[in-house]
Amino acid sequence: MVKNKEEEVPSINLLSSGTVVKGEIKVNGDFRLDGCFIGTITCKGKVVVGPTGNIEGEIICQNADFSGEVKATVKVAELLTLKETARYTGDMTTNKLSIEPGAKFSGNCIMEGTGTKGSIPPPLKQDENRPKETRT
């Protein structure tokens, strides 16, 4: 008996304005948040937090665009964009970061996977031929 394999079609999921959800969300496609969410979002696609969106918790995704309020630890594999109306508080790890004028950002940012590995010069060695400083 042969099973028909359905193609996995990326979907767009939406949490509308006025909706409040607590918990964990796992998405294979994209996710747009215009309501309020407390918890963890794990997304294989793009997470968009609209201007009325509000999230507290953790976001793990491929790409993200924030226009609303985000208080979270965020891990983005590729590009994180903070739009001019974004209010972000928390720690982020991303490959690329774009912050538009007017966006508010408070926290720490770690840039990973930027292709600069190995291009950091070694620490400078003290030149032995250089005269040592003396204080008088």
Side-chain angles (χ1 to χ4, degrees):
M1 181 179 232
V2 177
K3 292 184 181 180
N4 291 335
K5 290 188 177 182
E6 292 182 30
E7 263 187 54
E8 193 172 303
V9 179
S11 59
I12 298 173
N13 299 278
L14 175 66
L15 187 70
S16 299
S17 180
T19 305
V20 178
V21 175
K22 292 181 183 180
E24 182 177 1
I25 296 176
K26 292 183 179 182
V27 182
N28 283 331
D30 295 338
F31 183 74
R32 181 175 176 96
L33 174 71
D34 289 310
C36 181
F37 179 75
I38 300 169
T40 302
I41 298 173
T42 305
C43 179
K44 291 184 179 178
K46 183 181 212 176
V47 172
V48 176
V49 178
T52 60
N54 186 317
I55 180 168
E56 279 188 50
E58 182 178 21
I59 301 172
I60 302 166
C61 61
Q62 194 68 27
N63 291 290
D65 281 352
F66 297 160
S67 296
E69 186 168 356
V70 178
K71 294 179 183 176
T73 301
V74 176
K75 296 176 184 171
V76 179
E78 292 180 21
L79 173 64
L80 170 59
T81 303
L82 300 181
K83 302 289 187 179
E84 71 176 318
T85 57
R87 296 167 315 281
Y88 178 81
T89 304
D91 296 333
M92 64 173 73
T93 303
T94 185
N95 187 7
K96 297 176 188 170
L97 176 63
S98 172
I99 303 177
E100 292 182 358
K104 305 281 191 254
F105 167 55
S106 177
N108 297 305
C109 178
I110 298 172
M111 304 288 287
E112 289 187 339
T114 58
T116 59
K117 187 175 180 182
S119 65
I120 299 172
L124 297 174
K125 294 181 182 176
Q126 185 176 356
D127 188 352
E128 294 178 36
N129 296 328
R130 185 174 166 190
K132 295 183 179 179
E133 289 184 42
T134 57
R135 292 189 175 171
T136 54

